[in-house]
Amino acid sequence: MPTPSQRQNETSLDQASIGEKLLVTRVRPSPIASEWDRWLGEIGFFPGERVELMAKAIPGGDPLVIRVGQSTFALRCAEAACIDVIPHETTAATQTQTLAMEGSGA
Amino acid sequence: MRQAVIKLHPPGALLALVGNPNCGKTALFNRLTGSHQKVANYAGVTVERKEGRFSTPSGKNLRILDLPGAYSLYPRSPDERVTCDILFGQARDEKRPDLVICVVDATNLRRNLRLVLAVKRLGLPCAVALNMADQAESRGITIDADALAAELGLPVVSTVAIRRDGIDALVKLIDTPTAWRRPASEKATGNAVNHDAGDHIEIKRILQRLGLDEIVPHTTSDRIDRWVLHPALGPLLLTVVLFLMFQAVFAWAKWPMDLIESATGALGTLAGDHLADGWFKSLLVDGVIAGAGGVLVFLPQILILFFFILVLEESGYLPRAAFLLDRLMGWVGLSGRSFIPMLSSFACAIPGIMAARTIADPRDRLVTIMIAPLMTCSARLPVYALLIGAFIPAREIGGLFELQGLVLFGLYLAGIVGAMGVAWLLKHFTASGRQVRPLMMELPSYHLPTAQNIAIGLWQRAAVFLKRVGTIIMALSVALWFLASHPVAPPDAQESAIEYSYAGRMGKVLANVFEPIGFNWQISVALVPGMAAREVAVSALSTVYALSAESDDEKAEALAPVIAEKWSLATALALLAWFIFAPQCLATLATVKRETGGWTMPLVMAAYLFTLAWVAAWITFHTAVALGFG
């Protein structure tokens, strides 16, 4: 479970800055299309996974290049906006597991 | 009432390769089957079906299927649907596989193992091929295959698709009778879907036990991406790549084209010298040799274009190009994903329209299908090459560019601009046009393309083209020859023979429609078979002019100088403009019908392209005449 202070640092992935190490806290249903959260899960966005914003397209900063786990995906800002993240601190080694457990609904 | 489906499929054990997109599955398939493979479609859908055959050392003959790449067994595109149907045993024209080989990218177990767990739950005999093991090692990822096998409860072999040694281990595994036994303990639930969260935890646990939970940076790929995805250099590089591609199509192809041209010429002369005058000689020389030869000559250009597309695809550059173009495509209401089908359409609209199946969004997919024929397919190259060769002088401009190449580039550009215009209109005049639609596109790590995969890809495409030359194009050449030579002109004829024929009469009726845009009746005649396959227009012109020539000398002349003499520049330019938008060949319309499930879309497509082509040719012709090129 993320601590309250971590919840304060929670942002959506489209707001992250390039090169920042992040952890996924949850994938929210998109107001645009109901399937997006399921699809994002299938390509590797699930609570506890490590993500990083690699690049933004110019002009407009959309789409984004995102490293998720060991893969790289191009996502629209609207897609990245469904993904909540917190900074990944190196000391929080066990956090990953906690978040994964939370995400499973266990 | 549902009709019972009788399943007919060849006997023998069936092996299926399953894996995520970009896991090197097709390379492995090529390695296993070599050239013993055939490409066709699955029944009812035009998903490319790759089947091969191979024999194991113990003499077991196997059929092997290369299933479309999928991230999960919850399909979101027609491609993934095929993979699911086959694995669940619901496919109409294929039985359930007897053994499934899950191909996983060893550099990315985190994502790839999820599909393995889902497939394992199906209860089919299953094994894992740990592909790209060499790349994993060079990145410092060492995977203990035995430990992974113990964790998964499935046999695991390390493979390197580009080397022989890794394949041997896989073949040996396939040859082991126990590999084909159904796992007894697993209950086939058929419910592969609702395990996502559990699978994430399971995979995390496996990776932690194998000491593979650390994220290993993709140093090489990331370094290349710093240049390729650079805001300023990236688009510049893309422009250079595309421009080089089109210059090469003209420059490299020249020598083999000259060779084919002189070979068909020699063959025609040989046949002409040794056969008695009569209808058979006319059929062979004017119909078959001139017709098919006039199209065969463009094989080198088509192969060069496909070579570039295959190399870009294999290397991993294509999705990057799609990323760079996403904004531009978004401006006309499409996504970067539409770029790959559209690029394939430069070779031929049919694979392009079929590649649109990877677009999950139905609206994006339909729009991409509708504008794909506006991309200049290689079948239009013969027409462009003929007209450019005949009317545009070969001149260097600024010591760097060649004028003919520039004109060709301009024609391609005009097709792209036309497509963008149509998509833009659809965005602004349809309700669905303004919604945000998904992208979610993988950018795989870069790979050096392997010679074998490129060679097999080129061979398959050449085979398709040659089959067309041998069947449709040959048949149409002969049909046109018949129309152009019957009924025979009276002995006291004043005009050339073709003017008395059916084709001449048809052309003269059609000329009423085409006269306002500057086409003479010969062109009008050639456009009729051009509907069946665009490149046939060139062979049709050869046939029309060969038969309307008064003397044998004139017949012997190549087509280009003939039309350069007989047509005005305005007519040539109008014909070029016509072909940018020209109504696509019947095969394309048939593909669109199959892909959209009805006649509405192909009819709409034919009508709108016809109108566009006529208007564009009219504007071009009258502008050119006004400028004094009439």
Side-chain angles (χ1 to χ4, degrees), chain A residues 49 70-72 74 76 79, chain B residues 108 110 216 326 437 439 441:
Chain A
E49 184 59 290
Q70 214 57 284
S71 323
T72 315
R76 292 261 157 72
E79 293 164 332
Chain B
N108 196 340
R110 312 166 74 75
V216 180
D326 186 70
R437 286 176 304 278
L439 181 64
M441 177 176 63

Side-chain angles (χ1 to χ4, degrees), chain B residues 299-492:
Chain B
L299 181 64
Q301 288 184 330
I302 289 167
L303 288 182
I304 290 172
L305 193 68
F306 269 121
F307 171 79
F308 273 92
I309 290 179
L310 283 168
V311 168
L312 292 182
E313 197 175 359
E314 279 258 317
S315 65
Y317 183 73
L318 275 191
R320 266 86 179 174
F323 169 80
L324 290 171
L325 290 168
D326 186 70
R327 193 72 191 168
L328 188 69
M329 306 283 262
W331 185 71
V332 297
L334 289 170
S335 85
R337 272 180 187 278
S338 302
F339 171 71
I340 296 170
M342 282 164 74
L343 189 68
S344 307
S345 301
F346 281 114
C348 174
I350 294 166
I353 287 165
M354 285 164 60
R357 277 176 284 103
T358 56
I359 303 171
D361 186 82
R363 192 247 175 213
D364 273 8
R365 182 162 169 253
L366 184 60
V367 176
T368 307
I369 287 174
M370 292 303 270
I371 63 173
L374 285 172
M375 301 295 109
T376 303
C377 66
S378 51
R380 262 172 284 194
L381 264 182
V383 183
Y384 287 176
L386 173 73
L387 295 176
I388 289 175
F391 289 93
I392 309 293
R395 211 171 49 209
E396 283 206 350
I397 292 195
L400 244 183
F401 305 117
E402 212 212 336
L403 183 60
Q404 292 186 331
L406 277 180
V407 171
L408 185 71
F409 191 66
L411 289 167
Y412 274 85
L413 210 60
I416 297 168
V417 170
M420 293 294 139
V422 171
W424 188 86
L425 287 174
L426 288 174
K427 176 188 177 184
H428 287 266
F429 293 99
T430 58
S432 58
R434 285 170 293 259
Q435 293 164 358
V436 181
R437 286 176 304 278
L439 181 64
M440 295 187 217
M441 177 176 63
E442 189 178 2
L443 306 180
S445 340
Y446 290 99
H447 296 288
L448 267 182
T450 60
Q452 192 195 21
N453 292 339
I454 302 287
I456 288 180
L458 275 181
W459 173 76
Q460 282 168 349
R461 274 141 183 106
V464 168
F465 179 76
L466 291 175
K467 212 164 130 192
R468 268 163 72 84
V469 171
T471 55
I472 302 179
I473 296 175
M474 186 74 89
L476 287 167
S477 296
V478 171
L480 191 78
W481 165 83
F482 176 80
L483 288 176
S485 58
H486 292 81
V488 181
D492 56 342

Side-chain angles (χ1 to χ4, degrees), chain B residues 570-618:
Chain B
T571 293
L573 293 177
L575 190 57
L576 283 174
W578 168 269
F579 268 97
I580 294 173
F581 304 102
Q584 54 295 308
C585 59
L586 294 175
T588 304
L589 288 173
T591 309
V592 173
K593 185 203 163 244
R594 212 165 29 174
E595 293 285 320
T596 58
W599 277 110
T600 318
M601 287 305 149
L603 288 176
V604 168
M605 182 186 259
Y608 103 81
L609 288 175
F610 229 116
T611 314
L612 262 183
W614 199 90
V615 170
W618 191 89

